[in-house]
Amino acid sequence: AQQQYEKALSAYEKAIEIDSTSPAAWRGRGYTFMTQFIQNPEQLDLRTNALDSWNRSLDLNANQPKLRRLVQKYTPRRNLPEL
């Protein structure tokens, strides 16, 4: 499975090299990282990479309501101190 994730990431990275303004490429890169994070939740860098990719995709095309919901779902909540 890890080899398939690496292949997918490589393909998305190549697509981003060709067209860094492709929301689909950034979105797919994010999906690949998030899928790995869900399977390995101790690897927080995977979640960070996914959210960074998804936010880049949303910067390029804000009209992605499903992706926006995923960003909200997986963005860590900061615990506010009690008053």
Side-chain angles (χ1 to χ4, degrees):
Q2 185 61 34
Q3 189 176 12
Q4 288 179 320
Y5 292 129
E6 289 170 14
K7 277 183 165 180
L9 275 176
S10 178
Y12 287 122
E13 296 291 344
K14 190 170 191 90
I16 289 166
E17 276 182 39
I18 293 168
D19 181 5
S20 65
T21 64
S22 168
W26 286 102
R27 185 175 56 242
R29 182 178 186 266
Y31 285 141
T32 304
F33 279 121
M34 188 56 73
T35 301
Q36 292 177 87
F37 170 71
I38 290 167
Q39 295 172 0
N40 304 285
E42 70 286 351
Q43 294 184 25
L44 300 179
D45 60 316
L46 294 171
R47 178 180 60 198
T48 300
N49 288 337
L51 291 170
D52 289 348
S53 297
W54 286 348
N55 282 313
R56 179 74 178 121
S57 180
L58 288 167
D59 287 345
L60 295 165
N61 177 8
N63 187 23
Q64 300 182 77
K66 290 180 182 177
L67 186 59
R68 192 168 301 283
R69 283 193 297 274
L70 286 173
V71 168
Q72 290 171 347
K73 178 179 179 177
Y74 288 107
T75 298
R77 303 285 178 251
R78 292 192 170 83
N79 293 331
L80 298 176
E82 292 185 34
L83 300 176

